[in-house]
Amino acid sequence: MKTEELHVSSLIVHIRPEKRQEIEKSINALDGAELITVSPIGKAVVVLEAPHQRVIMEVIDTINALDGVLSTGLVYHEFEKLES
């Protein structure tokens, strides 16, 4: 029996409000990432799902590198072992 993991994280991403559309498209295009909402002042909530913590960190690094992203803060992280 192979054991796999499911990692779920949420982030607060501070963005430049004028870059909202481009950032939203870029984040939603990332595998396992979904931008849930953005406030008028540029605070976005993002949810990530991945099979390994390393993938979560890579996606966070990718988000941080987007033009218009000011900072990213990990708010929540949970993982569960899945048996297949």
Side-chain angles (χ1 to χ4, degrees):
M1 198 176 312
K2 184 178 177 184
T3 302
E4 296 180 9
E5 295 179 349
L6 172 65
H7 290 255
V8 178
S9 296
S10 64
L11 315 170
I12 297 293
V13 181
H14 294 259
I15 67 169
R16 294 191 187 281
E18 66 273 12
K19 295 283 190 170
R20 176 187 176 156
Q21 290 182 340
E22 297 90 7
I23 292 170
E24 187 169 356
K25 286 179 187 176
S26 295
I27 289 175
N28 287 333
L30 296 171
D31 191 32
E34 182 179 1
L35 191 145
I36 303 298
T37 189
V38 180
S39 75
I41 62 171
K43 291 184 182 179
V45 175
V46 177
V47 176
L48 307 176
E49 289 186 13
H52 194 276
Q53 182 176 347
R54 172 182 33 80
V55 176
I56 294 285
M57 298 309 298
E58 289 171 357
V59 172
I60 291 171
D61 288 343
T62 300
I63 292 170
N64 271 325
L66 294 174
D67 182 38
V69 171
L70 303 172
S71 67
T72 302
L74 182 65
V75 176
Y76 176 80
H77 180 88
E78 177 180 349
F79 78 95
E80 293 191 21
K81 294 199 182 283
L82 307 172
E83 293 182 13
S84 55

